[in-house]
């Protein structure tokens, strides 16, 4: 196999910046969008067996396997399809507990096997396994509750309040505009990295960053508290599809785990990182919401130690201000071992950052003669 490391003036970029060997996603992802496909679409093979086509898979820049949120959303979709009445919303997913056992290979389909774990009057549970090459790469349990009926019985209700004083989504930084800036003509990034960044524009998710906009050109980002807020939504979902929770599972993995890196002055992706991988992921669905309407995603990390980081996220429906979803994730966050190649990339990023900042401010040009 050919090396996936991209060369910049004779320097080799680590896989952490280039992605997965031999896998280019831009064309397949754009074709998926053109034919109206979804990143959580499944083909039903048997009553409790589903297939996710490899053509839909996305590997994030800096990632080594299929995006964890995509596996999570597809698994919940598979479970939902086996609960009678879930699509019609007479049953609703209320919790999900998942473990990532191996990285997903983007060159192979994933088979999801669903098992009925329990059937009770008010709750039903499904166990889902994601399989590649005969091995389980992912497992989860999803629980569904019978939708509440109109009742005069008094119910207890409280929530963690939605943060106030936030800018409107239209006034925040569009993540895809950041990609455009990085991929513009004259950008110092190599074309291999730009190709991977362009995949982000094909994603069916709209993200508006309220704070801590990631800057992958900055080798030494500031150390800030481990909290990040953003507006997020899927761009389009069929009404009454019963898949809002599946979509939330999909985009819950955006910026969740890596929020734990903020107080350490490390951005993702970075040559300073050796391992970034999800271990387990839990979700609780508290209230109804529409995944294609703006949702505030408020994420913070209470702990990072021994290479394992924990992040917690709260999703609020913008219009109702109701806390709709809580998500918790633990994952591996390990620094890379020092090496001459990584030191070289660090110096290259510093030079690129300086160039980027200077050109953005239009103060100097490296192509003009100095006086």
């Amino acid at each position: 196999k050919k090396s996936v490391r991209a060369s910049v003036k004779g320097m080799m970029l680590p896989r952490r910046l280039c992605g997965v060997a031999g896998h280019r996603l831009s064309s397949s992802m754009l074709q998926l969008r053109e034919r109206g496909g979804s990143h959580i679409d499944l083909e039903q093979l048997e009553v409790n067996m589903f297939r996710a086509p490899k053509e839909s898979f996305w590997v994030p820049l800096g990632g080594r396997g299929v995006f964890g949120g995509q596996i999570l959303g597809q698994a919940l979709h598979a479970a939902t399809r086996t609960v009678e009445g879930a699509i019609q919303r007479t049953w609703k997913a209320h919790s999900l507990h998942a473990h990532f056992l191996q990285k997903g290979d983007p060159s192979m389909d994933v088979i999801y096997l669903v098992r009925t774990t329990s059937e009770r009057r008010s709750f039903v549970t499904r166990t889902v396994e994601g399989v590649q090459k005969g091995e389980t790469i992912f497992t989860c349990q999803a629980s569904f509750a019978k939708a509440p009926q109109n009742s005069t019985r008094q119910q207890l209700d409280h929530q963690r309040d939605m943060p106030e004083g936030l800018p409107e989504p239209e006034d925040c930084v569009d993540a895809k505009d950041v990609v455009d800036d990085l991929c513009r003509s004259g950008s110092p990034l190599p074309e291999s990295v730009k190709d991977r960044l362009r995949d982000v524009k094909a994603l069916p998710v709209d993200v508006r960053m309220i704070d801590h906009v990631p800057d992958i050109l900055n080798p030494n980002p500031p150390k800030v508290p481990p909290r990040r807020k953003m507006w997020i939504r899927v761009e389009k979902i069929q009404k009454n599809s019963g898949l809002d929770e599946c979509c939330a599972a999909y985009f819950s993995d955006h910026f969740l785990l890596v929020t734990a890196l903020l107080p350490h002055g490390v951005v993702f992706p970075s040559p300073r990182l050796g391992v970034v991988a999800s271990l387990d992921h839990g979700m609780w669905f508290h209230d109804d919401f529409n995944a294609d309407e703006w949702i505030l995603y408020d994420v913070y990390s209470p702990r990072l130690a021994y290479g394992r980081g924990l992040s917690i996220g709260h999703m609020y429906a913008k219009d109702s201000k109701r806390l709709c979803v809580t998500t918790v994730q633990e994952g591996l966050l390990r620094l890379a071992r020092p090496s001459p190649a990584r030191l070289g990339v660090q110096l290259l990023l510093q030079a690129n950052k300086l160039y980027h900042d200077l050109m953005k401010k239009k103060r100097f040009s490296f192509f003009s003669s100095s006086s």
Side-chain angles (χ1 to χ4, degrees), residues 19-20 23 25 29 57-67 70 104 106 196 199:
V20 174
H23 190 66
L25 292 159
M29 289 184 65
F57 290 150
W58 175 53
V59 180
L61 178 65
R64 295 181 176 179
V66 179
F67 177 52
Q70 188 169 13
R196 299 299 308 283
D199 289 335

Side-chain angles (χ1 to χ4, degrees), residues 84-335:
E84 186 176 357
I87 297 297
Q88 294 76 24
R89 309 299 287 167
T90 56
W91 290 85
K92 299 179 182 180
H94 77 88
S95 70
L96 171 69
H97 304 274
H99 291 271
F100 295 87
L101 307 178
Q102 300 183 50
K103 67 180 181 181
D105 184 346
S107 67
M108 299 185 64
D109 298 343
V110 174
I111 303 299
Y112 292 98
L113 307 175
V114 184
R115 185 175 71 254
T116 298
T117 312
S118 70
E119 295 269 2
R120 291 178 286 168
R121 185 174 64 179
S122 300
F123 296 91
V124 300
T125 306
R126 298 291 186 266
T127 299
V128 184
E129 290 186 356
V131 179
Q132 284 185 323
K133 294 181 285 190
E135 297 185 358
T136 301
I137 64 168
F138 169 90
T139 183
C140 79
Q141 280 198 328
S143 184
F144 298 77
K146 185 173 290 186
Q149 306 296 320
N150 292 330
S151 173
T152 58
R153 181 186 301 179
Q154 184 178 5
Q155 300 288 345
L156 302 176
D157 191 326
H158 82 275
Q159 72 167 50
R160 181 178 185 265
D161 289 339
M162 177 176 169
E164 297 181 350
L166 300 177
E168 292 294 312
E170 295 75 16
D171 299 326
C172 297
V173 177
D174 189 332
K176 294 181 180 180
D177 288 342
V178 175
V179 172
D180 281 337
D181 188 44
L182 291 170
C183 295
R184 76 192 189 288
S185 176
S187 169
L189 287 176
E191 285 302 318
S192 60
V193 175
K194 290 181 182 179
D195 284 344
R196 299 299 308 283
L197 283 170
R198 292 186 185 104
D199 289 335
V200 175
K201 298 199 68 176
L203 294 179
V205 178
D206 193 353
V207 180
R208 306 298 174 92
M209 309 298 298
I210 298 175
D211 50 23
H212 306 318
V213 179
D215 182 2
I216 66 171
L217 289 180
N218 190 348
N220 297 299
K223 297 180 179 180
V224 295
R227 187 179 182 186
R228 170 182 273 135
K229 296 182 289 296
M230 70 199 85
W231 297 107
I232 194 166
R233 65 181 178 183
V234 293
E235 292 186 347
K236 185 178 182 181
I237 184 174
Q238 183 178 352
K239 293 299 182 182
N240 303 317
S241 65
L243 299 180
D244 292 282
E245 289 84 1
C246 303
C247 293
Y250 173 83
F251 61 58
S252 69
D253 206 14
H254 282 73
F255 300 104
L256 181 58
L257 179 61
V258 295
T259 296
L261 296 172
L262 291 177
H264 304 279
V266 180
V267 68
F268 176 81
S270 167
R272 296 175 60 189
L273 290 170
V275 178
V276 178
S278 301
L279 291 174
D280 49 36
H281 195 123
M283 298 188 73
W284 293 264
F285 304 98
H286 313 299
D287 214 333
D288 291 339
F289 62 95
N290 294 318
D292 58 353
E293 297 179 2
W294 286 117
I295 293 171
L296 174 66
Y297 198 12
D298 185 8
V299 178
Y300 66 97
S301 173
R303 184 66 166 144
L304 170 55
Y306 306 106
R308 298 191 307 275
L310 184 71
S311 293
I312 301 171
H314 298 290
M315 298 185 188
Y316 298 85
K318 181 178 183 295
D319 294 337
S320 69
K321 301 186 183 300
R322 298 287 289 175
L323 175 59
C324 300
V325 183
T326 295
T327 182
V328 178
Q329 185 180 55
E330 184 185 38
L332 292 177
L333 293 169
R334 293 176 179 169
L335 294 175

